[in-house]
Amino acid sequence: MVKRLFLLLSLTFLNAGLLRAQLYDQYNHPELEWHSFDTEHFTVHYHQGTELTAFKAAKIIEEIYPAVTATYNFKPKDRIHLILRDTDDYSNGGAFFFNNKIEIWATNLDYVMRGTKNWLRDVLTHEFTHMVNIQKIIKSNMTFPYGFIQWFGYEKERRRDVVRGFPNVLVSYPVSSVNMPVWFAEGTAQHQNDRARFDYRDPHREMILRDRVLHNRLLTLNEMSIFGKTSHGNESSYNQGFAFVNFLVEQYGEKVLSDITEIDSHWSSYTFDGAIEKATGTSVDSLYRRWKQQLRRRYTRQTATIRAHEHKGRLIEKEGFANLYPVFDPDGKYVAWISNKGRDYFSQNRLIIWDREEGSKKELPVSGVSSSLDWSPDGRYLVYARQDRDRHMSSLNDLYLWDVKNEKEIRLSYGLRGSNPSFSPDGRSIAFVSATDGLHALNLLRLPQNPESETWREVAYNVTTGRLLPHKAETIYQRDVRVRASELIQLLAFEDGRQIYHPRWRPDGRRIVFGTAVEYGRNIGQYDLETGKFSILMKAREELRYPVYSPDGAWLYFSSSKTGIYNLYRVKSDGGPAQLLTNVTGGAFMPTVNNRGEVAYACYDSIGYKLAFMARPVALDASLARYDDDYPQSVPVKNFNDDTIPEYATRPYKTTFTRTQILPRLFIDYGTVKPGFYITSSDVLDQFSLVAGAAANRDLDYDLYAYAEYKKMAPTFF
């Protein structure tokens, strides 16, 4: 009996590990110390290091509560649980509408398919909109949200001692009381509402939609209704849903969103398409056709001059939709970048090196790069960041070198949460961005003379402020870090939420430039290493991204959305007007310049980021790139103030279960009807969950099932 029990437990742990490894952040975190506090409508739960984000989130979500609930004329019946996490270098949010909880990761979103806005306000409004409009359309109630029709069939028995053969038919069909396509769910969450709107049709979203329209690749209405595509396809469901919902609001007013959800909340509404037709008086297919025609007319008209005078250089990589962060080696002979060529997701990338003289491309055995990259001044090393699991199974960004000469990878850190590294002109230091609880800091890693030496330094970062500490972690509010460095220096740490993007050195080594933002749009900032001061170098309402100096320091190259379309520009380092270098209908990003003045960049074209090359670009006539003269004025101005954050009375977290759900089931088993049910419940942090089921027929042949999961420790117990 003891042996059988041990075997059962061993298999349980093994299976749990295999299953959980397939899901993001499904690892247990017993090292976290959770706390809770209450606001008028929410109970907020957070762990050490996320207190600032939790307090700010509580303020924000209470501010948006009246606007979102008024838009849909619906208030959730139960108190909603808001959970803040910062266990991973991961940016997302989720609305678990049946469980009455919202989860938010504190890391700010920096995604090559989206523009810049205030992350916390945007994601909270997005997820709370999900919570409200989806709970409103539940046709039954939160206790009985859905059920199942199930049928088991069996092989014909072959022996007298076998009561029933092995199951050969297993059918389980869910009957849901929720009926909402992806395009409407995500479209309304991005549209938000007139009184609480922190998202907008940024130039990235417009680029993706415009490109699909001009290349006749717009998703159909059915394709917009589901996920399960590539990264690009899934993002297009979000994007087109946002644009289509905006179209509905333009045609019928914002009240149409509440009307649609109200109609769909009744059992008499069999299809969501029918609810839209009843609310608008027009079939959804007809609305889609009108919207598609409107888009084609608009984008064809606005890009007519650009298409007649397009200037983008030569595409050197057309395959894959994520060819990103190109960088010339110091001699200008090679270009390195990351590419997902032949793969379905942005994260499935590889490092590529293009030999310009031979025309060959070499794929390096490095995958999952999560940042921009840079060459060392001697051309021997590439530096980049990619994610790995730490001892708590958190997925964090760490720095690595690729030794081009010896063709091997050298790890520079453990637990650093560092990204977007850049070599100093003398090759002795690497500038990089560190992150914690949504806060950014600019740091320097001084390399040892031999990067492969075992010169490891043990330091810590304060998980609340992101400040570097010159000693090992001493409390749970500090994060242990190991770096292969002679010295680790923190240059700049923002505690107001200002973000730092893709730092690059000025060739004289005296300044570091980078993209920076704290609200809508991006500016170009700089840090002066001699004075130790930060300042804004270039400021505009639009997006200014990816600044990089020419090797001689004479020019600053960057990408700007000033016309409504991203193009490459350059300005003289000592001042002067900006010169337009590209004229594209998609977008031009991430320039890199060699000592001959040649430029490589990421060109968004034909459903994805390609790699383009220009030999000594010259200034173009800016009038030929006109697209939307009023674009800068369309960028929202800051419409919030989060400078003052209230304090809340907190308490240690106590296990709190969500509403118990009863899921009816109609079970057809060996020709008999077995009505029954499932019961499910879990605590809000998913540390404990329970599922039980029962079914019986008129002969009192019954089935019983129960399953419990305990996840407060490192292993999961069942």
Side-chain angles (χ1 to χ4, degrees), residues 146-162:
Y146 55 96
F148 296 91
I149 297 175
Q150 299 172 322
W151 175 36
F152 279 17
Y154 300 88
E155 293 178 344
K156 187 176 181 180
E157 60 271 20
R158 298 180 181 275
R159 301 194 326 239
R160 290 186 177 182
D161 60 335
V162 176

Side-chain angles (χ1 to χ4, degrees), residues 237-308:
S237 290
Y238 274 87
N239 193 331
Q240 290 186 206
F242 188 5
F244 193 35
V245 165
N246 281 358
F247 171 78
L248 293 177
V249 171
E250 289 167 4
Q251 299 294 310
Y252 301 100
E254 198 164 71
K255 188 176 181 297
V256 74
L257 305 181
S258 178
D259 292 343
I260 291 169
T261 53
E262 174 61 31
I263 294 167
D264 195 52
S265 68
H266 300 285
W267 286 107
S268 58
S269 176
Y270 297 108
T271 67
F272 196 81
D273 290 0
I276 293 178
E277 184 168 357
K278 189 172 182 179
T280 64
T282 307
S283 72
V284 69
D285 290 329
S286 177
L287 290 168
Y288 174 83
R289 286 193 298 271
R290 282 166 48 191
W291 172 65
K292 183 177 179 179
Q293 291 166 1
Q294 183 189 88
L295 291 176
R296 175 158 293 282
R297 288 194 299 268
R298 173 191 164 196
Y299 290 135
T300 300
R301 181 184 70 254
Q302 287 187 246
T303 61
T305 302
I306 298 171
R307 285 182 285 112

Side-chain angles (χ1 to χ4, degrees), residues 407-583:
E407 297 189 330
K408 64 179 181 179
E409 188 176 63
I410 302 169
R411 185 166 187 165
L412 295 180
S413 68
Y414 288 88
L416 185 61
R417 302 194 72 173
S419 64
N420 299 319
S422 177
F423 267 107
S424 62
D426 62 9
R428 296 170 55 191
S429 302
I430 295 172
F432 68 93
V433 180
S434 61
T436 187
D437 194 28
L439 301 176
H440 275 185
L442 183 65
N443 308 264
L444 284 187
L445 185 152
R446 302 282 193 197
L447 288 168
Q449 285 191 342
N450 177 10
E452 292 188 72
S453 70
E454 294 302 316
T455 308
W456 291 95
R457 299 183 68 86
E458 294 184 330
V459 295
Y461 278 89
N462 184 302
V463 297
T464 302
T465 65
R467 294 283 181 178
L468 176 64
L469 305 172
H471 54 74
K472 293 180 64 175
E474 298 172 344
T475 73
I476 63 171
Y477 290 89
Q478 298 169 3
R479 183 181 76 254
D480 267 323
V481 173
R482 292 177 63 217
V483 289
R484 186 176 257 145
S486 60
E487 190 177 13
L488 190 63
I489 304 168
Q490 189 163 81
L491 302 176
L492 186 64
F494 289 117
E495 296 188 14
D496 62 352
R498 178 173 289 279
Q499 302 292 290
I500 302 171
Y501 305 99
H502 309 284
R504 285 292 181 262
W505 293 77
R506 201 167 74 175
D508 61 10
R510 296 168 57 188
R511 293 182 182 177
I512 299 172
V513 294
F514 45 84
T516 184
V518 74
E519 44 197 61
Y520 300 103
R522 288 191 191 180
N523 298 316
I524 295 177
Q526 63 180 354
Y527 178 81
D528 190 315
L529 281 89
E530 294 181 346
T531 65
K533 292 183 178 180
F534 159 76
S535 62
I536 297 294
L537 181 62
M538 296 179 64
K539 186 174 184 178
R541 288 186 64 177
E542 65 266 18
E543 302 250 359
L544 305 175
R545 292 181 171 231
Y546 309 111
V548 61
Y549 282 99
S550 58
D552 61 5
W555 295 91
L556 179 67
Y557 291 73
F558 59 97
S559 176
S560 169
S561 65
K562 66 182 297 183
T563 66
I565 292 179
Y566 285 101
N567 273 298
L568 298 187
Y569 296 80
R570 68 182 177 191
V571 295
K572 285 187 175 294
S573 297
D574 56 2
Q579 296 182 359
L580 175 71
L581 302 180
T582 61
N583 190 20

Side-chain angles (χ1 to χ4, degrees), residues 346-351 366-371 385-387 397:
F346 281 106
S347 59
Q348 296 173 324
N349 60 50
R350 297 291 188 276
L351 264 177
V366 175
S367 61
V369 176
S370 56
S371 76
R386 64 180 180 85
Q387 293 194 351
N397 286 320

